[in-house]
Amino acid sequence: MDVFEFLNLNELALGLSNLSMFPYFDMAHYIISVMSLREQPGALDVSQRSPFACWFSSMLYCFGGAVLSALMMADAPVAPLSNTTNLLLASLMWYLVFYCPLDAVYSLASILPVRLVLTGMKEVTRTWKVLGGVTQAGRKYKDGLFVMIAVGWAKGAGGGLISNFEQLVRGVWKPETNELLKMSYPTKITLLGSVLFSLQQCRFLPIQTHHLILIYTLFIVTNKTRMMMMGSSSYPFSALESVLYKTLFVRPLTFSPLNDSTQGSDQTCHASPKNGSISARKTPGTDQKNPEEAENTKKKD
């Protein structure tokens, strides 16, 4: 793009696209993921009652996206755990966050500046996960746009999408927390990135891959940092999302027309307080006869 050449950002974009995630960025991802698990209600009790269940839940937080995308691509769900180095590194972070003496690691990582850095590094790994899922699906399904979007979304936000299964491991069942019913910020932003990278891979978006990596990474890192510093959970496209939802998916209110006969009728039925029979109450002057007609009827009688 000419803009990147004008701002001399080509080298930065190429350097970011060639950046290795192991070990520092992966370590930050594991720490923040395990901290998110620890901050769930009842997670500390599970860590004391069943360390294995706690470890398994932590691995789902760390590798849930890879497991879900493997299932969608008809691969072995245990394939992401075949990397022994990453598995041991994630297990070490789990042990330090939950069982470190004096909670030194968790207390240090909970300091706002430290957590901002770790969270920013974790968001960088989100870009590589989404792009990896999209390219993985693209190699098997040529120009399969929707398949690429689904796999990229699953690989980038799989930990949230399988949260109900992870809760079952800890003995919790909350179906109302399903991400498909009420999407969280990471799920929405990952879906957006999956759509963008899928359109770029299918050549519907005229932009190079490393340029899109830089734009998307800067966007998610800066937005996540802003949300943490301001203590807000507002989605940057919440207004647009609300307008589209109300325009496309909300059914308009339908009013049933009132019956003219009921509006025009002057008689109302009411129940008698003594025997419960229904009697008709007539409004004055509606069925009264003229004086002449009354005299004629008397004569006839």
Side-chain angles (χ1 to χ4, degrees), residues 108-119:
L108 178 62
S110 298
I111 301 174
L112 183 59
V114 178
R115 188 153 188 169
L116 284 175
V117 174
L118 294 176
T119 304

Side-chain angles (χ1 to χ4, degrees), residues 183-221:
M183 293 187 186
S184 60
Y185 165 77
T187 305
K188 292 180 180 179
I189 207 67
T190 304
L191 178 59
L192 175 63
S194 182
V195 171
L196 292 177
F197 281 108
S198 299
L199 292 175
Q200 189 272 332
Q201 291 293 317
C202 293
R203 298 178 181 83
F204 293 113
L205 196 62
I207 186 174
Q208 297 184 19
T209 304
H210 58 278
H211 291 162
L212 184 58
I213 289 175
L214 178 62
I215 294 173
Y216 180 71
T217 304
L218 288 177
F219 171 72
I220 60 177
V221 170

Side-chain angles (χ1 to χ4, degrees), residues 172-284:
V172 180
W173 174 243
K174 294 181 179 180
E176 66 275 4
T177 60
N178 190 346
E179 283 288 332
L180 296 180
L181 295 177
K182 188 177 181 181
M183 293 187 186
S184 60
Y185 165 77
T187 305
K188 292 180 180 179
I189 207 67
T190 304
L191 178 59
L192 175 63
S194 182
V195 171
L196 292 177
F197 281 108
S198 299
L199 292 175
Q200 189 272 332
Q201 291 293 317
C202 293
R203 298 178 181 83
F204 293 113
L205 196 62
I207 186 174
Q208 297 184 19
T209 304
H210 58 278
H211 291 162
L212 184 58
I213 289 175
L214 178 62
I215 294 173
Y216 180 71
T217 304
L218 288 177
F219 171 72
I220 60 177
V221 170
T222 54
N223 189 64
K224 186 65 176 181
T225 304
R226 177 192 63 84
M227 292 172 60
M228 293 183 63
M229 294 184 65
M230 298 180 61
S232 108
S233 58
S234 60
Y235 182 58
F237 303 111
S238 58
L240 178 61
E241 180 183 352
S242 178
V243 172
L244 291 176
Y245 174 77
K246 292 179 180 179
T247 304
L248 300 176
F249 300 107
V250 176
R251 296 178 58 185
L253 296 177
T254 57
F255 298 95
S256 58
L258 297 176
N259 191 0
D260 295 337
S261 61
T262 59
Q263 284 185 339
S265 62
D266 295 331
Q267 296 182 354
T268 58
C269 296
H270 61 90
S272 175
K274 294 183 180 180
N275 53 10
S277 60
I278 298 177
S279 61
R281 183 178 60 190
K282 299 181 180 180
T283 56

Side-chain angles (χ1 to χ4, degrees), residues 32 46 60 65 86 92 110 137 153 163-164 169 184 191 199 211 219 267:
I32 296 298
V46 174
L60 289 178
N86 285 342
L92 177 62
S110 298
W153 185 32
S163 58
N164 290 112
V169 175
S184 60
L191 178 59
L199 292 175
H211 291 162
F219 171 72
Q267 296 182 354

Side-chain angles (χ1 to χ4, degrees), residues 62-104:
C62 296
F63 302 103
V67 171
L68 183 59
S69 62
L71 287 173
M72 296 179 65
M73 295 295 294
D75 295 332
V78 296
L81 304 179
S82 61
N83 192 332
T84 307
T85 305
N86 285 342
L87 184 62
L88 291 177
L89 182 60
S91 300
L92 177 62
M93 296 302 106
W94 159 76
Y95 184 83
L96 292 177
V97 169
F98 275 96
Y99 303 103
C100 182
L102 302 177
D103 279 343

Side-chain angles (χ1 to χ4, degrees), residues 14-166:
L14 288 173
L16 182 61
S17 63
N18 296 324
L19 186 64
S20 176
M21 295 292 103
F22 183 84
Y24 301 109
F25 288 89
D26 286 338
M27 187 183 302
H29 166 66
Y30 299 149
I31 292 176
I32 296 298
S33 299
V34 176
M35 288 178 64
S36 300
L37 172 63
R38 173 174 171 149
E39 293 167 356
Q40 296 296 319
L44 286 176
D45 295 337
V46 174
S47 66
Q48 298 300 318
R49 289 188 288 107
S50 177
F52 178 75
C54 181
W55 173 83
F56 192 76
S57 295
S58 299
M59 296 305 103
L60 289 178
Y61 263 78
C62 296
F63 302 103
V67 171
L68 183 59
S69 62
L71 287 173
M72 296 179 65
M73 295 295 294
D75 295 332
V78 296
L81 304 179
S82 61
N83 192 332
T84 307
T85 305
N86 285 342
L87 184 62
L88 291 177
L89 182 60
S91 300
L92 177 62
M93 296 302 106
W94 159 76
Y95 184 83
L96 292 177
V97 169
F98 275 96
Y99 303 103
C100 182
L102 302 177
D103 279 343
V105 174
Y106 178 77
S107 301
L108 178 62
S110 298
I111 301 174
L112 183 59
V114 178
R115 188 153 188 169
L116 284 175
V117 174
L118 294 176
T119 304
M121 296 174 68
K122 180 181 183 296
E123 293 301 315
V124 173
T125 63
R126 187 186 304 277
T127 303
W128 265 254
K129 290 180 180 181
V130 174
L131 180 59
V134 170
T135 53
Q136 179 185 2
R139 286 194 298 266
K140 190 171 184 180
Y141 302 97
K142 299 292 184 181
D143 297 329
L145 179 61
F146 293 102
V147 177
M148 295 165 68
I149 292 174
V151 176
W153 185 32
K155 194 162 188 176
L161 294 174
I162 64 172
S163 58
N164 290 112
F165 175 72
E166 182 275 327

